[in-house]
């Protein structure tokens, strides 16, 4: 009786590790929260696979759906099964159910672990040729940036996840609206000028496809096309980084 949570990666068939494949093959029970083609492919590996998707429902809060999905996974563990739960991307990145399931399984005394996967962020660095080590990176959910008093360092790269769901406080919608994106731009304008370069990025989900990389000015974001898989990439401001002489002197004393 144990739980392993694995990630399929983003591009179907390209990102899945041998280790994850063997976990999927050997588990008694496999659950998956993945879309269309990925689900169809997984079913070729495990025809008995159970999709967690039915827990989503019209007008049902995602919080409630995630609770149900976690309960479904824990129920199989309680029945004495070796359980594998499959999610897309990296299962531990911007994903509630994997973390909840592992935490709660461990609290019940089960062995539970996560296998790392290739996240959208990993694809983004490869596709856009960006190195987070150059200026540092901040990464957060677009709505979280809006509804909390977050302090941004505009000299670092900023990634806003779920930009296509910006401003949904009901946790029931899977889209956004121009007016909500306009609020996002307004708050970002505390840090960046309206002509600041941003990229709407979507990694390829199929090996035959290519990624989407739409370069635009921050001020044009409300009129841009976003989807559930869009991530907003905000370039760092280009001014040279300000040196912190006090700390440099202290370090020099130690050379
Ligand atoms: N666990 C996923 C991962 O490892 O990338 C992230 C899941 S999070 C709930 C969903 C958000 O991830 C999307 O709104 C988007 O910001 C980002 N995302 C997911 N798929 C993507 C893709 N193909 N390209 C770019 N960003 C993506």
């Amino acid at each position: 009786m144990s739980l392993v949570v694995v990630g399929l990666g983003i591009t179907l068939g390209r990102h899945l590790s041998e280790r994850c494949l063997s976990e999927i093959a050997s588990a008694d029970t496999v659950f998956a929260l993945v879309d269309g083609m990925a689900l169809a492919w997984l079913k070729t590996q495990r025809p008995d696979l159970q999709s967690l998707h039915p827990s989503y429902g019209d007008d049902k809060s995602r919080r409630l759906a995630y609770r149900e999905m976690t309960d479904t996974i824990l129920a199989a563990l309680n029945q004495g099964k070796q359980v594998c739960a499959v999610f897309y991307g990296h299962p531990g990145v911007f994903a509630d159910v994997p973390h909840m399931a592992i935490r709660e399984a461990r609290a019940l005394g089960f062995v539970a672990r996560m296998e790392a996967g290739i996240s959208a962020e990993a694809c983004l660095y490869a596709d856009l040729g960006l190195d987070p080590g150059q200026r540092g990176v901040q990464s957060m959910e677009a709505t979280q940036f809006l509804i909390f008093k977050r302090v941004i360092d505009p000299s670092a790269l900023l990634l806003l996840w779920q930009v296509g769901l910006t401003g949904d406080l009901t946790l029931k919608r899977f889209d956004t609206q121009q007016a909500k994106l306009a609020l996002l731009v307004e708050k970002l304008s505390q840090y960046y000028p309206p002509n600041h370069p941003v990229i709407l990025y979507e990694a390829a989900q199929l090996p035959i496809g290519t990624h989407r990389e739409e370069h635009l000015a921050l001020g044009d974001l409300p009129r841009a096309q976003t989807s559930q898989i869009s991530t907003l990439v905000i370039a760092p401001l280009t001014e040279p980084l300000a040196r912190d002489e006090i700390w440099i002197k202290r370090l020099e004393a130690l050379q």
Side-chain angles (χ1 to χ4, degrees):
M1 284 168 287
S2 66
L3 169 66
V4 60
V5 174
V6 303
L8 269 190
I10 299 291
T11 310
L12 183 59
R14 275 196 195 156
H15 292 167
L16 188 62
S17 68
E18 288 292 330
R19 178 93 188 236
C20 294
L21 266 177
S22 79
E23 297 290 357
I24 292 167
S26 63
D28 297 325
T29 305
V30 181
F31 295 106
L33 185 60
V34 298
D35 286 326
M37 298 283 274
L39 185 64
W41 178 81
L42 265 178
K43 281 188 171 167
T44 65
Q45 310 296 303
R46 285 295 300 240
D48 59 336
L49 171 144
Q50 297 173 46
S51 173
L52 294 170
H53 238 277
S55 289
Y56 286 125
D58 287 343
D59 210 36
K60 181 173 174 184
S61 151
R62 283 195 288 284
R63 195 163 288 142
L64 191 59
Y66 296 158
R67 181 67 262 157
E68 259 182 47
M69 293 175 198
T70 306
D71 288 345
T72 303
I73 294 169
L74 293 176
L77 268 179
N78 278 320
Q79 285 164 15
K81 309 280 190 201
Q82 293 280 118
V83 180
C84 177
V86 188
F87 296 82
Y88 79 99
H90 184 309
V93 174
F94 290 82
D96 290 344
V97 178
H99 287 294
M100 269 163 64
I102 288 184
R103 226 174 15 246
E104 293 181 22
R106 286 180 181 160
L108 291 169
F110 296 107
V111 172
R113 66 186 170 81
M114 181 182 286
E115 288 288 336
I118 294 183
S119 70
E121 185 167 352
C123 300
L124 181 155
Y125 297 134
D127 287 336
L128 303 184
L130 296 173
D131 183 348
Q134 294 262 306
R135 288 272 182 142
V137 63
Q138 297 153 103
S139 192
M140 71 185 72
E141 216 248 323
T143 302
Q144 191 189 97
F145 167 72
L146 262 178
I147 66 176
F148 293 104
K149 294 186 176 176
R150 303 302 307 262
V151 177
I152 294 299
D153 172 4
S155 68
L157 182 67
L158 175 61
L159 307 179
L160 291 182
W161 298 64
Q162 303 208 136
V163 68
L165 277 62
T166 295
D168 171 37
L169 301 182
T170 66
L171 298 181
K172 292 179 180 174
R173 298 184 63 124
F174 287 93
D175 59 5
T176 186
Q177 290 147 323
Q178 274 203 19
K180 292 174 180 166
L181 288 172
L183 280 187
L184 180 65
V185 169
E186 194 179 327
K187 191 162 182 190
L188 285 167
S189 299
Q190 296 170 8
Y191 301 95
Y192 307 96
N195 62 353
H196 188 72
V198 303
I199 305 171
L200 274 170
Y201 170 73
E202 291 173 9
Q205 292 178 295
L206 295 176
I208 47 165
T210 51
H211 70 275
R212 172 182 175 215
E213 166 182 351
E214 187 178 340
H215 293 252
L216 61 157
L218 175 62
D220 293 332
L221 181 65
R223 288 171 298 284
Q225 195 74 33
T226 60
S227 79
Q228 282 182 50
I229 63 162
S230 307
T231 298
L232 184 67
V233 181
I234 304 179
L237 291 177
T238 48
E239 285 98 56
L241 293 173
R243 288 164 59 87
D244 198 334
E245 296 299 345
I246 293 174
W247 293 94
I248 292 171
K249 281 208 173 62
R250 289 186 64 180
L251 279 175
E252 279 171 352
L254 299 175
Q255 303 303 302

